[in-house]
Amino acid sequence: MSIYPKNSVIMAPLAGYTDLPYRHSLRRHGCYYAFTEMVDTGSLIYAKKVTRNFLDRADDESWLGVQIVGAKIDEVEKAVDIINQREFSVLDLNLGCPTPKVVRKGKGGGLGRNPDLAAKILELMVKKSKFPVTAKIRIQDTEDPASTIYLSKKLESAGAQTITVHGRLLKAIYSGPCYTDIINAVRESVKVQVIANGGVMDYDSYVKLKNDTGCSEIMIARGAMGNPWIFQGIINGNDVYPTTEELSDEIESHVLETIDYYGEEMAMKLSRKFILDYLGGRGYTGKLKCKVATVSSLYEFKSFMEEVRKGPTERYKTWAKKFL
């Protein structure tokens, strides 16, 4: 039985991004399948408050997955016990995070290089979790699919109900081509549902990833950063370009909810990165974008948004008319 209905579009778990306010922004524009931020098992066990907040789920979130990253059997077991006290739609194991400090500890992409341990950990998760267990991996080789297929089959045998495959090597991080032929080879080699991930930035690249991999379900990551409208575009079959008013309204809604959730001081620090994402590539001046780093209060934010609402430069508007 598949976890996701055919043609589902899933938002990836993004560390530092997919918290509750961020997910609400995505859901306003058609995202149904979403994940918490990646949760480190050690941090969860030792009860760092900010990590426990990663597990928060709003009443209006009909579907929410949680993803953990860890490589120690005892830590994973304790983390699953904590997660079982909440309600989620799936529990996912991260075997693809490329962050050096994660990989050095044998977690994330480091665990993906150790199929036997990965299978043992996932088997434990299946035994302990009250939720369906899934896995997210990266390809292991760009030319020969054998090693990626081997890892996938080990996870399938351990009980993974879905495997998401990011079509880039660990060392590539998020750059370079997505090796869709390797994802396709995995899909053809396992019986469980395979989700394709990598390089979806708009409607056309979404369609291409589907066609090239043969996967009907797709996971989006960086393509949704600053562009929650990507989900609307996929649903409608055509990219959505927000007006200046729509863009400004979304930024304000997102930041104000972040303030409600974290408090003003922390929220303004956390908001800077995604405000820049919203403004990126939309014709705003470098001077205005540099100002984001100085916004530290709600008062300053409201003043900043007055500038945003004036819209992009006239030069950009003239250029954009040729394409929109």
Side-chain angles (χ1 to χ4, degrees):
M1 181 178 177
S2 297
I3 294 288
Y4 303 100
K6 192 172 181 179
N7 297 318
S8 296
V9 184
I10 306 138
M11 181 64 202
L14 294 179
Y17 282 88
T18 50
D19 60 6
L20 197 154
Y22 203 97
R23 296 195 303 270
H24 270 157
S25 173
L26 299 172
R27 295 189 190 284
R28 281 192 285 272
H29 300 282
C31 175
Y32 181 78
Y33 299 100
F35 277 82
T36 65
E37 296 183 58
M38 181 181 74
V39 181
D40 181 86
T41 54
S43 298
L44 183 60
I45 293 165
Y46 299 113
K48 291 183 180 179
K49 185 178 179 182
V50 67
T51 303
R52 290 291 178 101
N53 287 347
F54 288 177
L55 301 181
D56 286 354
R57 180 178 186 173
D59 292 339
D60 60 359
E61 293 191 282
S62 300
W63 198 101
L64 181 65
V66 57
Q67 185 190 71
I68 61 171
V69 60
K72 295 180 179 178
I73 296 285
D74 58 332
E75 282 190 358
V76 171
E77 184 171 12
K78 291 174 183 177
V80 173
D81 286 340
I82 293 169
I83 289 168
N84 278 340
Q85 297 171 24
R86 309 281 188 115
E87 291 299 326
F88 294 101
S89 303
V90 299
L91 171 60
D92 190 74
L93 175 63
N94 182 301
L95 299 103
C97 178
T99 305
K101 66 179 181 180
V102 172
V103 175
R104 280 197 299 269
K105 296 177 181 178
K107 304 177 182 181
L111 184 61
R113 292 171 171 171
N114 190 343
D116 292 338
L117 178 58
K120 189 178 294 186
I121 286 174
L122 195 131
E123 190 172 17
L124 171 69
M125 291 169 61
V126 171
K127 181 180 178 181
K128 295 283 294 184
S129 174
K130 69 178 186 179
F131 315 113
V133 175
T134 62
K136 187 173 188 291
I137 69 172
R138 281 179 176 255
I139 63 168
Q140 303 297 301
D141 191 287
T142 60
E143 297 180 1
D144 185 356
S147 54
T148 310
I149 290 172
Y150 179 75
L151 172 60
S152 300
K153 284 190 171 183
K154 292 284 286 187
L155 296 172
E156 179 182 38
S157 297
Q161 294 193 31
T162 291
I163 299 172
T164 299
V165 184
H166 184 153
R168 295 187 180 95
L169 293 174
L170 196 60
K171 65 181 181 182
I173 313 295
Y174 303 110
S175 63
C178 177
Y179 289 87
T180 55
D181 56 327
I182 306 296
I183 299 176
N184 186 46
V186 171
R187 181 186 61 80
E188 292 179 339
S189 301
V190 298
K191 295 178 182 178
V192 296
Q193 187 176 38
V194 173
I195 313 299
N197 173 227
V200 175
M201 306 303 287
D202 52 24
Y203 179 72
D204 286 346
S205 53
Y206 159 78
V207 173
K208 187 176 189 308
L209 186 60
K210 287 186 72 173
N211 291 340
D212 291 351
T213 62
C215 297
S216 64
E217 293 74 55
I218 299 296
M219 181 172 281
I220 294 176
R222 291 176 306 127
M225 293 167 65
N227 186 27
W229 296 273
I230 192 171
F231 291 95
Q232 280 179 255
I234 290 171
I235 292 168
N236 297 339
N238 199 10
D239 289 324
V240 173
Y241 300 96
T243 64
T244 296
E245 182 179 8
E246 289 168 340
L247 175 69
S248 301
D249 287 347
E250 186 55 50
I251 295 173
E252 286 198 346
S253 295
H254 193 160
V255 172
L256 291 176
E257 182 172 355
T258 303
I259 291 172
D260 287 342
Y261 187 64
Y262 292 103
E264 186 173 339
E265 183 178 357
M266 180 180 288
M268 295 318 304
K269 292 178 182 177
L270 294 172
S271 297
R272 290 168 185 161
K273 60 179 181 286
F274 66 73
I275 293 173
L276 285 172
D277 287 337
Y278 280 115
L279 298 182
R282 292 195 163 104
Y284 287 93
T285 65
K287 183 179 179 181
L288 181 64
K289 286 186 278 190
C290 284
K291 245 179 120 173
V292 174
T294 68
V295 177
S296 57
S297 68
L298 178 57
Y299 175 81
E300 291 173 351
F301 172 68
K302 289 183 176 179
S303 176
F304 174 81
M305 286 307 300
E306 290 177 5
E307 295 299 310
V308 173
R309 287 188 177 278
K310 292 177 183 177
T313 64
E314 290 301 322
R315 181 180 178 184
Y316 176 83
K317 290 177 185 177
T318 301
W319 173 84
K321 285 179 182 178
K322 298 176 184 178
F323 303 97
L324 304 182

